[in-house]
Amino acid sequence: MKNKGFTLIELIAVLSIMLILSSIGSVTFKGLYNIKNDNANEQFISELRILISTGKKISVSDSINTNIIIDENTKKIKLSISSKVKDSIKIPSNLRFNSIKRDILIKSDGRIEPFTWMFKDGDKEYSISRPVEGDYINVKKP
């Protein structure tokens, strides 16, 4: 009588190989996911700096105050002039805003009010601020 099937040793060997391959794949996938999020966060920080620079340029050239406001409903940061949205950028879905102050005031002479915005991506925390002294935007990355 012929046995049609696999032996227990053959099944264990196949399952072991599958387990090893799936563990390698999951580690690789997690690494790719982290790289994707890091790239999105870097792009967001660059776009935020450009948005602040644009607000500063408009404030000085038109001699008006501008505001940069976080809108958590639409997950966007908006540059507004006299309550009209001039420009906006999207906050990446993996970032969570973690600060009390929701807006930045840029005065008509180009001075930016001091602020600190914190964004959290899992266990990584990004800090974007304009210190009291100096006229630069400081970014702290994990």
Side-chain angles (χ1 to χ4, degrees), residues 26 45 49 64 69 73 80 94 100 127-129 133-135 138:
S26 67
I45 289 169
R49 284 182 169 195
I64 57 173
I69 304 164
N73 295 329
S80 69
N94 55 301
I100 296 171
S127 169
I128 303 166
S129 63
E133 297 197 13
D135 193 28
N138 189 22

Side-chain angles (χ1 to χ4, degrees), residues 1 3 10 13 28 46 48 59-60 77 89 96 98 113 128-129 138:
M1 176 164 32
N3 288 336
E10 290 171 332
T28 303
S46 292
L48 181 58
S59 291
V60 170
I77 296 181
I89 59 172
R96 301 286 174 256
N98 194 19
E113 291 284 308
I128 303 166
S129 63
N138 189 22

Side-chain angles (χ1 to χ4, degrees), residues 7-18:
T7 65
L8 182 59
I9 304 252
E10 290 171 332
L11 287 174
I12 289 173
V14 168
L15 288 174
S16 298
I17 291 169
M18 288 175 57

Side-chain angles (χ1 to χ4, degrees), residues 3-141:
N3 288 336
K4 292 183 180 181
F6 299 104
T7 65
L8 182 59
I9 304 252
E10 290 171 332
L11 287 174
I12 289 173
V14 168
L15 288 174
S16 298
I17 291 169
M18 288 175 57
L19 181 67
I20 291 168
L21 291 176
S22 67
S23 66
I24 291 170
S26 67
V27 169
T28 303
F29 179 74
K30 185 177 180 184
L32 290 175
Y33 183 75
N34 287 341
I35 289 171
K36 177 185 164 237
N37 281 351
D38 289 346
N39 288 342
N41 296 343
E42 290 292 327
Q43 181 179 353
F44 167 71
I45 289 169
S46 292
E47 289 174 354
L48 181 58
R49 284 182 169 195
I50 291 169
L51 191 69
I52 292 170
S53 293
T54 302
K56 189 173 177 177
K57 181 179 167 186
I58 291 170
S59 291
V60 170
S61 66
D62 296 349
S63 295
I64 57 173
N65 291 345
T66 59
N67 289 303
I68 296 180
I69 304 164
I70 292 183
D71 184 352
E72 291 190 68
N73 295 329
T74 60
K75 293 282 285 180
K76 289 187 175 185
I77 296 181
K78 300 176 180 181
L79 169 61
S80 69
I81 304 165
S82 303
S83 301
K84 293 179 187 172
V85 176
K86 176 76 174 170
D87 198 2
S88 67
I89 59 172
K90 189 175 183 325
I91 300 172
S93 59
N94 55 301
L95 282 181
R96 301 286 174 256
F97 184 68
N98 194 19
S99 296
I100 296 171
K101 189 172 180 172
R102 300 274 189 257
D103 66 327
I104 300 171
L105 173 65
I106 303 173
K107 296 189 177 181
S108 59
D109 61 358
R111 286 183 297 125
I112 302 170
E113 291 284 308
F115 73 93
T116 299
W117 281 356
M118 307 291 281
F119 292 93
K120 200 164 179 135
D121 177 11
D123 59 345
K124 297 177 185 175
E125 192 165 80
Y126 296 83
S127 169
I128 303 166
S129 63
R130 209 291 279 160
V132 175
E133 297 197 13
D135 193 28
Y136 58 91
I137 301 299
N138 189 22
V139 176
K140 290 184 183 172
K141 302 174 196 172

